[in-house]
Amino acid sequence: MESISLSYFVDFVLTSGTGKLTSVKQLKQGRDERFSDFYRPVREAIVDMHTKGLDTIVMDDLLSSLVDPRERRIFPKVVGGYRKFLRQGKMTWFEPPMRDYPLGPLSVRVNPEIGLLIDGRPHAIKLYFRGDPLSPQRIVVVNQLLANALSTTWPGTVFSVLDVRRARLYPYRPKSEVGLLLKAEAASLSTLYSAI
């Protein structure tokens, strides 16, 4: 089985019952978020703005170029939330860590999109764009994956999830028992994938 995205794995972990079967069938058929990444343009604009040292005009350019009605309705809220986040402190870009994290029988691509020194402290940040507010369960699972995969090679880094629309940063709070859940869910996903 190839490596899977962090977002797909988190969705699988937070899905219950027969929804897990549907999720694995879609993955096996090649229909996961890698093929329908709605937020890619705004994520790329945010990363470009930081990596190239550009002003937030990059996001204005993105918004003015939108043609799709759904993007024109949703992306301004995302961009507005990210601008609000940027006003919360002095921030300097660094290339965020990433790796394929072996988790039992599968590998999860752990790739925080943003690396920022926020008031001098390194933060590796996974961006959350969806309209629904971040659930406490999603925050815990994402942050645990980030910490488990990256903390040994990036000590002192604050692993976090950013609810972009709401400009809310949720840092990692250790919950060691969640690591056991992640291993069990990886075994479950792998078993279902092999059986379907």
Side-chain angles (χ1 to χ4, degrees), residues 85 90-97 112 114-126 143 146 150-151 153-161 169-172:
F85 167 70
K90 182 175 176 359
M91 300 183 194
T92 307
W93 168 265
F94 69 89
E95 191 67 36
I114 303 294
L116 292 174
L117 290 173
I118 301 176
D119 296 326
R121 189 152 186 217
H123 287 66
I125 303 169
K126 188 72 181 164
N143 278 335
L146 291 173
L150 304 170
S151 63
T153 54
W154 287 79
T157 300
V158 178
F159 300 103
S160 334
V161 184
L169 188 65
Y170 296 92
Y172 170 64

mmCIF file of all heavy atoms in Angstrom, residues 85 90-97 112 114-126 143 146 150-151 153-161 169-172:
data_model
loop_
_atom_site.group_PDB
_atom_site.id
_atom_site.type_symbol
_atom_site.label_atom_id
_atom_site.label_comp_id
_atom_site.label_asym_id
_atom_site.label_seq_id
_atom_site.Cartn_x
_atom_site.Cartn_y
_atom_site.Cartn_z
ATOM 1 N N PHE A 85 -4.822 36.160 11.083
ATOM 2 C CA PHE A 85 -3.795 35.373 11.766
ATOM 3 C C PHE A 85 -2.436 36.060 11.687
ATOM 4 O O PHE A 85 -1.703 36.129 12.675
ATOM 5 C CB PHE A 85 -3.727 33.965 11.159
ATOM 6 C CG PHE A 85 -2.507 33.187 11.565
ATOM 7 C CD1 PHE A 85 -2.360 32.724 12.862
ATOM 8 C CD2 PHE A 85 -1.497 32.916 10.647
ATOM 9 C CE1 PHE A 85 -1.224 32.016 13.246
ATOM 10 C CE2 PHE A 85 -0.367 32.207 11.011
ATOM 11 C CZ PHE A 85 -0.228 31.757 12.312
ATOM 12 N N LYS A 90 4.829 38.788 15.265
ATOM 13 C CA LYS A 90 5.905 38.867 14.273
ATOM 14 C C LYS A 90 6.187 37.450 13.778
ATOM 15 O O LYS A 90 6.443 36.544 14.565
ATOM 16 C CB LYS A 90 7.154 39.475 14.907
ATOM 17 C CG LYS A 90 8.308 39.627 13.929
ATOM 18 C CD LYS A 90 9.461 40.332 14.591
ATOM 19 C CE LYS A 90 10.702 40.457 13.749
ATOM 20 N NZ LYS A 90 10.757 39.926 12.447
ATOM 21 N N MET A 91 6.132 37.272 12.449
ATOM 22 C CA MET A 91 6.283 35.941 11.868
ATOM 23 C C MET A 91 7.331 35.946 10.767
ATOM 24 O O MET A 91 7.345 36.837 9.930
ATOM 25 C CB MET A 91 4.941 35.457 11.309
ATOM 26 C CG MET A 91 3.862 35.374 12.364
ATOM 27 S SD MET A 91 2.329 34.732 11.725
ATOM 28 C CE MET A 91 1.224 35.162 13.066
ATOM 29 N N THR A 92 8.181 34.913 10.803
ATOM 30 C CA THR A 92 9.219 34.731 9.793
ATOM 31 C C THR A 92 9.135 33.307 9.275
ATOM 32 O O THR A 92 9.066 32.354 10.058
ATOM 33 C CB THR A 92 10.621 34.964 10.408
ATOM 34 O OG1 THR A 92 10.638 36.238 11.056
ATOM 35 C CG2 THR A 92 11.700 34.908 9.351
ATOM 36 N N TRP A 93 9.172 33.166 7.957
ATOM 37 C CA TRP A 93 9.042 31.857 7.309
ATOM 38 C C TRP A 93 10.285 30.994 7.484
ATOM 39 O O TRP A 93 11.403 31.489 7.474
ATOM 40 C CB TRP A 93 8.800 32.068 5.811
ATOM 41 C CG TRP A 93 8.940 30.819 4.989
ATOM 42 C CD1 TRP A 93 10.044 30.389 4.314
ATOM 43 C CD2 TRP A 93 7.939 29.826 4.766
ATOM 44 N NE1 TRP A 93 9.793 29.200 3.679
ATOM 45 C CE2 TRP A 93 8.502 28.826 3.944
ATOM 46 C CE3 TRP A 93 6.611 29.687 5.186
ATOM 47 C CZ2 TRP A 93 7.779 27.709 3.529
ATOM 48 C CZ3 TRP A 93 5.900 28.563 4.766
ATOM 49 C CH2 TRP A 93 6.493 27.599 3.951
ATOM 50 N N PHE A 94 10.079 29.681 7.642
ATOM 51 C CA PHE A 94 11.134 28.693 7.449
ATOM 52 C C PHE A 94 10.489 27.483 6.774
ATOM 53 O O PHE A 94 9.278 27.291 6.861
ATOM 54 C CB PHE A 94 11.850 28.306 8.763
ATOM 55 C CG PHE A 94 11.004 27.520 9.739
ATOM 56 C CD1 PHE A 94 10.956 26.136 9.694
ATOM 57 C CD2 PHE A 94 10.279 28.178 10.731
ATOM 58 C CE1 PHE A 94 10.191 25.410 10.606
ATOM 59 C CE2 PHE A 94 9.516 27.466 11.650
ATOM 60 C CZ PHE A 94 9.472 26.084 11.586
ATOM 61 N N GLU A 95 11.299 26.715 6.076
ATOM 62 C CA GLU A 95 10.781 25.535 5.364
ATOM 63 C C GLU A 95 10.300 24.512 6.396
ATOM 64 O O GLU A 95 11.084 24.063 7.240
ATOM 65 C CB GLU A 95 11.877 24.929 4.482
ATOM 66 C CG GLU A 95 11.378 23.889 3.515
ATOM 67 C CD GLU A 95 10.474 24.453 2.443
ATOM 68 O OE1 GLU A 95 10.702 25.593 1.979
ATOM 69 O OE2 GLU A 95 9.528 23.752 2.056
ATOM 70 N N PRO A 96 9.008 24.153 6.361
ATOM 71 C CA PRO A 96 8.502 23.235 7.390
ATOM 72 C C PRO A 96 9.026 21.812 7.195
ATOM 73 O O PRO A 96 9.307 21.403 6.064
ATOM 74 C CB PRO A 96 6.984 23.279 7.180
ATOM 75 C CG PRO A 96 6.805 23.646 5.749
ATOM 76 C CD PRO A 96 7.967 24.549 5.413
ATOM 77 N N PRO A 97 9.164 21.077 8.287
ATOM 78 C CA PRO A 97 9.597 19.687 8.175
ATOM 79 C C PRO A 97 8.480 18.837 7.577
ATOM 80 O O PRO A 97 7.306 19.186 7.681
ATOM 81 C CB PRO A 97 9.858 19.286 9.626
ATOM 82 C CG PRO A 97 8.956 20.164 10.424
ATOM 83 C CD PRO A 97 8.876 21.467 9.669
ATOM 84 N N PRO A 112 3.176 19.454 7.325
ATOM 85 C CA PRO A 112 2.639 20.775 7.651
ATOM 86 C C PRO A 112 3.005 21.760 6.546
ATOM 87 O O PRO A 112 4.141 21.760 6.078
ATOM 88 C CB PRO A 112 3.310 21.120 8.981
ATOM 89 C CG PRO A 112 4.497 20.222 9.070
ATOM 90 C CD PRO A 112 4.199 19.009 8.247
ATOM 91 N N ILE A 114 3.034 25.086 6.583
ATOM 92 C CA ILE A 114 3.636 26.351 6.979
ATOM 93 C C ILE A 114 4.663 26.128 8.091
ATOM 94 O O ILE A 114 4.396 25.432 9.059
ATOM 95 C CB ILE A 114 2.546 27.328 7.500
ATOM 96 C CG1 ILE A 114 1.465 27.559 6.449
ATOM 97 C CG2 ILE A 114 3.147 28.645 7.954
ATOM 98 C CD1 ILE A 114 1.930 28.270 5.220
ATOM 99 N N GLY A 115 5.815 26.758 7.935
ATOM 100 C CA GLY A 115 6.809 26.825 8.998
ATOM 101 C C GLY A 115 7.031 28.289 9.319
ATOM 102 O O GLY A 115 7.455 29.053 8.453
ATOM 103 N N LEU A 116 6.699 28.689 10.536
ATOM 104 C CA LEU A 116 6.835 30.098 10.914
ATOM 105 C C LEU A 116 7.514 30.228 12.270
ATOM 106 O O LEU A 116 7.182 29.498 13.208
ATOM 107 C CB LEU A 116 5.466 30.778 10.998
ATOM 108 C CG LEU A 116 4.684 30.972 9.704
ATOM 109 C CD1 LEU A 116 3.293 31.529 10.012
ATOM 110 C CD2 LEU A 116 5.428 31.892 8.756
ATOM 111 N N LEU A 117 8.456 31.161 12.341
ATOM 112 C CA LEU A 117 8.946 31.591 13.643
ATOM 113 C C LEU A 117 7.944 32.634 14.112
ATOM 114 O O LEU A 117 7.800 33.691 13.486
ATOM 115 C CB LEU A 117 10.331 32.208 13.537
ATOM 116 C CG LEU A 117 11.475 31.269 13.218
ATOM 117 C CD1 LEU A 117 12.749 32.062 12.972
ATOM 118 C CD2 LEU A 117 11.681 30.277 14.344
ATOM 119 N N ILE A 118 7.217 32.322 15.158
ATOM 120 C CA ILE A 118 6.231 33.257 15.701
ATOM 121 C C ILE A 118 6.814 33.817 16.983
ATOM 122 O O ILE A 118 7.017 33.081 17.954
ATOM 123 C CB ILE A 118 4.872 32.582 15.947
ATOM 124 C CG1 ILE A 118 4.331 31.992 14.629
ATOM 125 C CG2 ILE A 118 3.878 33.561 16.564
ATOM 126 C CD1 ILE A 118 3.045 31.210 14.761
ATOM 127 N N ASP A 119 7.123 35.087 16.960
ATOM 128 C CA ASP A 119 7.803 35.740 18.079
ATOM 129 C C ASP A 119 9.039 34.957 18.496
ATOM 130 O O ASP A 119 9.305 34.754 19.677
ATOM 131 C CB ASP A 119 6.832 35.945 19.247
ATOM 132 C CG ASP A 119 5.690 36.888 18.885
ATOM 133 O OD1 ASP A 119 5.915 37.830 18.094
ATOM 134 O OD2 ASP A 119 4.550 36.673 19.366
ATOM 135 N N GLY A 120 9.777 34.453 17.496
ATOM 136 C CA GLY A 120 11.041 33.763 17.729
ATOM 137 C C GLY A 120 10.954 32.277 17.981
ATOM 138 O O GLY A 120 11.976 31.605 18.065
ATOM 139 N N ARG A 121 9.758 31.727 18.107
ATOM 140 C CA ARG A 121 9.612 30.287 18.399
ATOM 141 C C ARG A 121 9.128 29.544 17.151
ATOM 142 O O ARG A 121 8.136 29.952 16.544
ATOM 143 C CB ARG A 121 8.613 30.104 19.538
ATOM 144 C CG ARG A 121 8.567 28.691 20.030
ATOM 145 C CD ARG A 121 8.174 28.635 21.482
ATOM 146 N NE ARG A 121 8.277 27.262 21.934
ATOM 147 C CZ ARG A 121 7.453 26.709 22.774
ATOM 148 N NH1 ARG A 121 6.473 27.414 23.291
ATOM 149 N NH2 ARG A 121 7.601 25.464 23.129
ATOM 150 N N PRO A 122 9.804 28.427 16.757
ATOM 151 C CA PRO A 122 9.412 27.718 15.530
ATOM 152 C C PRO A 122 8.074 26.982 15.683
ATOM 153 O O PRO A 122 7.852 26.286 16.670
ATOM 154 C CB PRO A 122 10.557 26.732 15.305
ATOM 155 C CG PRO A 122 11.202 26.560 16.627
ATOM 156 C CD PRO A 122 10.968 27.827 17.400
ATOM 157 N N HIS A 123 7.216 27.171 14.697
ATOM 158 C CA HIS A 123 5.909 26.510 14.634
ATOM 159 C C HIS A 123 5.786 25.796 13.290
ATOM 160 O O HIS A 123 5.978 26.421 12.243
ATOM 161 C CB HIS A 123 4.768 27.521 14.743
ATOM 162 C CG HIS A 123 4.570 28.101 16.098
ATOM 163 N ND1 HIS A 123 5.503 28.924 16.701
ATOM 164 C CD2 HIS A 123 3.543 27.976 16.969
ATOM 165 C CE1 HIS A 123 5.041 29.285 17.894
ATOM 166 N NE2 HIS A 123 3.859 28.722 18.076
ATOM 167 N N ALA A 124 5.480 24.498 13.317
ATOM 168 C CA ALA A 124 5.146 23.738 12.111
ATOM 169 C C ALA A 124 3.627 23.606 12.120
ATOM 170 O O ALA A 124 3.050 23.031 13.045
ATOM 171 C CB ALA A 124 5.815 22.376 12.123
ATOM 172 N N ILE A 125 2.983 24.169 11.092
ATOM 173 C CA ILE A 125 1.537 24.366 11.135
ATOM 174 C C ILE A 125 0.844 23.651 9.981
ATOM 175 O O ILE A 125 1.188 23.846 8.817
ATOM 176 C CB ILE A 125 1.199 25.868 11.074
ATOM 177 C CG1 ILE A 125 1.892 26.607 12.231
ATOM 178 C CG2 ILE A 125 -0.298 26.089 11.088
ATOM 179 C CD1 ILE A 125 1.849 28.119 12.117
ATOM 180 N N LYS A 126 -0.147 22.847 10.335
ATOM 181 C CA LYS A 126 -1.032 22.221 9.352
ATOM 182 C C LYS A 126 -2.231 23.149 9.192
ATOM 183 O O LYS A 126 -2.832 23.588 10.167
ATOM 184 C CB LYS A 126 -1.479 20.839 9.850
ATOM 185 C CG LYS A 126 -2.244 20.035 8.835
ATOM 186 C CD LYS A 126 -1.334 19.548 7.751
ATOM 187 C CE LYS A 126 -2.101 18.757 6.710
ATOM 188 N NZ LYS A 126 -1.347 18.600 5.470
ATOM 189 N N ASN A 143 -2.463 16.981 15.584
ATOM 190 C CA ASN A 143 -1.283 17.385 16.346
ATOM 191 C C ASN A 143 -0.474 16.186 16.840
ATOM 192 O O ASN A 143 0.762 16.238 16.873
ATOM 193 C CB ASN A 143 -1.684 18.289 17.514
ATOM 194 C CG ASN A 143 -1.873 19.722 17.089
ATOM 195 O OD1 ASN A 143 -1.308 20.167 16.100
ATOM 196 N ND2 ASN A 143 -2.676 20.465 17.832
ATOM 197 N N LEU A 146 1.570 15.006 13.887
ATOM 198 C CA LEU A 146 2.689 15.922 13.671
ATOM 199 C C LEU A 146 3.789 15.685 14.695
ATOM 200 O O LEU A 146 4.972 15.563 14.340
ATOM 201 C CB LEU A 146 2.214 17.374 13.748
ATOM 202 C CG LEU A 146 1.301 17.891 12.638
ATOM 203 C CD1 LEU A 146 0.790 19.288 12.985
ATOM 204 C CD2 LEU A 146 1.995 17.903 11.297
ATOM 205 N N LEU A 150 7.488 14.139 13.765
ATOM 206 C CA LEU A 150 8.508 15.159 13.548
ATOM 207 C C LEU A 150 9.278 15.625 14.787
ATOM 208 O O LEU A 150 10.310 16.278 14.659
ATOM 209 C CB LEU A 150 7.858 16.388 12.890
ATOM 210 C CG LEU A 150 7.115 16.117 11.569
ATOM 211 C CD1 LEU A 150 6.319 17.341 11.150
ATOM 212 C CD2 LEU A 150 8.081 15.696 10.487
ATOM 213 N N SER A 151 8.800 15.316 15.979
ATOM 214 C CA SER A 151 9.419 15.914 17.175
ATOM 215 C C SER A 151 10.848 15.452 17.439
ATOM 216 O O SER A 151 11.642 16.213 17.989
ATOM 217 C CB SER A 151 8.550 15.675 18.409
ATOM 218 O OG SER A 151 8.446 14.297 18.676
ATOM 219 N N THR A 153 13.224 14.866 15.229
ATOM 220 C CA THR A 153 14.162 15.572 14.357
ATOM 221 C C THR A 153 13.996 17.089 14.428
ATOM 222 O O THR A 153 14.854 17.818 13.937
ATOM 223 C CB THR A 153 14.012 15.116 12.894
ATOM 224 O OG1 THR A 153 12.650 15.248 12.500
ATOM 225 C CG2 THR A 153 14.451 13.666 12.725
ATOM 226 N N TRP A 154 12.898 17.551 15.012
ATOM 227 C CA TRP A 154 12.645 18.993 15.146
ATOM 228 C C TRP A 154 12.296 19.339 16.595
ATOM 229 O O TRP A 154 11.208 19.844 16.872
ATOM 230 C CB TRP A 154 11.512 19.410 14.203
ATOM 231 C CG TRP A 154 11.942 19.420 12.772
ATOM 232 C CD1 TRP A 154 12.066 18.341 11.944
ATOM 233 C CD2 TRP A 154 12.345 20.551 12.012
ATOM 234 N NE1 TRP A 154 12.507 18.737 10.717
ATOM 235 C CE2 TRP A 154 12.688 20.089 10.722
ATOM 236 C CE3 TRP A 154 12.453 21.910 12.291
ATOM 237 C CZ2 TRP A 154 13.126 20.933 9.718
ATOM 238 C CZ3 TRP A 154 12.889 22.744 11.283
ATOM 239 C CH2 TRP A 154 13.219 22.262 10.014
ATOM 240 N N PRO A 155 13.209 19.073 17.540
ATOM 241 C CA PRO A 155 12.906 19.374 18.945
ATOM 242 C C PRO A 155 12.716 20.881 19.146
ATOM 243 O O PRO A 155 13.339 21.691 18.471
ATOM 244 C CB PRO A 155 14.129 18.857 19.703
ATOM 245 C CG PRO A 155 15.226 18.839 18.695
ATOM 246 C CD PRO A 155 14.571 18.586 17.363
ATOM 247 N N GLY A 156 11.832 21.213 20.049
ATOM 248 C CA GLY A 156 11.577 22.622 20.344
ATOM 249 C C GLY A 156 10.567 23.271 19.419
ATOM 250 O O GLY A 156 10.203 24.432 19.609
ATOM 251 N N THR A 157 10.110 22.533 18.412
ATOM 252 C CA THR A 157 9.118 23.072 17.487
ATOM 253 C C THR A 157 7.728 22.902 18.081
ATOM 254 O O THR A 157 7.417 21.869 18.682
ATOM 255 C CB THR A 157 9.195 22.339 16.124
ATOM 256 O OG1 THR A 157 10.499 22.524 15.584
ATOM 257 C CG2 THR A 157 8.165 22.857 15.152
ATOM 258 N N VAL A 158 6.899 23.914 17.914
ATOM 259 C CA VAL A 158 5.501 23.843 18.341
ATOM 260 C C VAL A 158 4.701 23.315 17.157
ATOM 261 O O VAL A 158 4.654 23.938 16.100
ATOM 262 C CB VAL A 158 4.961 25.228 18.761
ATOM 263 C CG1 VAL A 158 3.495 25.142 19.149
ATOM 264 C CG2 VAL A 158 5.793 25.808 19.890
ATOM 265 N N PHE A 159 4.114 22.141 17.323
ATOM 266 C CA PHE A 159 3.281 21.564 16.273
ATOM 267 C C PHE A 159 1.854 22.036 16.500
ATOM 268 O O PHE A 159 1.351 22.003 17.622
ATOM 269 C CB PHE A 159 3.393 20.037 16.282
ATOM 270 C CG PHE A 159 4.813 19.592 16.058
ATOM 271 C CD1 PHE A 159 5.591 19.147 17.113
ATOM 272 C CD2 PHE A 159 5.387 19.678 14.803
ATOM 273 C CE1 PHE A 159 6.913 18.779 16.917
ATOM 274 C CE2 PHE A 159 6.707 19.308 14.595
ATOM 275 C CZ PHE A 159 7.468 18.857 15.651
ATOM 276 N N SER A 160 1.209 22.490 15.423
ATOM 277 C CA SER A 160 -0.092 23.127 15.578
ATOM 278 C C SER A 160 -0.958 22.938 14.349
ATOM 279 O O SER A 160 -0.461 22.663 13.257
ATOM 280 C CB SER A 160 0.027 24.639 15.782
ATOM 281 O OG SER A 160 1.221 25.034 16.328
ATOM 282 N N VAL A 161 -2.242 23.150 14.567
ATOM 283 C CA VAL A 161 -3.215 23.205 13.481
ATOM 284 C C VAL A 161 -3.796 24.615 13.491
ATOM 285 O O VAL A 161 -4.144 25.142 14.556
ATOM 286 C CB VAL A 161 -4.360 22.196 13.679
ATOM 287 C CG1 VAL A 161 -5.314 22.212 12.493
ATOM 288 C CG2 VAL A 161 -3.843 20.803 13.921
ATOM 289 N N LEU A 169 -5.110 29.316 16.182
ATOM 290 C CA LEU A 169 -4.010 28.363 16.188
ATOM 291 C C LEU A 169 -4.154 27.447 17.395
ATOM 292 O O LEU A 169 -4.301 27.916 18.530
ATOM 293 C CB LEU A 169 -2.671 29.117 16.250
ATOM 294 C CG LEU A 169 -1.411 28.284 16.063
ATOM 295 C CD1 LEU A 169 -1.351 27.700 14.658
ATOM 296 C CD2 LEU A 169 -0.178 29.144 16.331
ATOM 297 N N TYR A 170 -4.107 26.136 17.143
ATOM 298 C CA TYR A 170 -4.253 25.144 18.205
ATOM 299 C C TYR A 170 -2.952 24.362 18.341
ATOM 300 O O TYR A 170 -2.658 23.486 17.534
ATOM 301 C CB TYR A 170 -5.400 24.181 17.888
ATOM 302 C CG TYR A 170 -6.742 24.849 17.831
ATOM 303 C CD1 TYR A 170 -7.249 25.328 16.620
ATOM 304 C CD2 TYR A 170 -7.508 25.015 18.968
ATOM 305 C CE1 TYR A 170 -8.485 25.945 16.559
ATOM 306 C CE2 TYR A 170 -8.747 25.634 18.920
ATOM 307 C CZ TYR A 170 -9.224 26.097 17.706
ATOM 308 O OH TYR A 170 -10.449 26.711 17.662
ATOM 309 N N PRO A 171 -2.145 24.660 19.360
ATOM 310 C CA PRO A 171 -0.875 23.952 19.543
ATOM 311 C C PRO A 171 -1.088 22.557 20.129
ATOM 312 O O PRO A 171 -2.111 22.270 20.756
ATOM 313 C CB PRO A 171 -0.099 24.844 20.511
ATOM 314 C CG PRO A 171 -1.144 25.611 21.243
ATOM 315 C CD PRO A 171 -2.322 25.739 20.331
ATOM 316 N N TYR A 172 -0.088 21.734 19.935
ATOM 317 C CA TYR A 172 -0.089 20.354 20.425
ATOM 318 C C TYR A 172 -0.112 20.317 21.951
ATOM 319 O O TYR A 172 0.633 21.023 22.614
ATOM 320 C CB TYR A 172 1.167 19.654 19.899
ATOM 321 C CG TYR A 172 1.442 18.293 20.502
ATOM 322 C CD1 TYR A 172 0.561 17.238 20.308
ATOM 323 C CD2 TYR A 172 2.600 18.068 21.233
ATOM 324 C CE1 TYR A 172 0.827 15.983 20.833
ATOM 325 C CE2 TYR A 172 2.879 16.822 21.761
ATOM 326 C CZ TYR A 172 1.985 15.782 21.568
ATOM 327 O OH TYR A 172 2.248 14.542 22.091
#
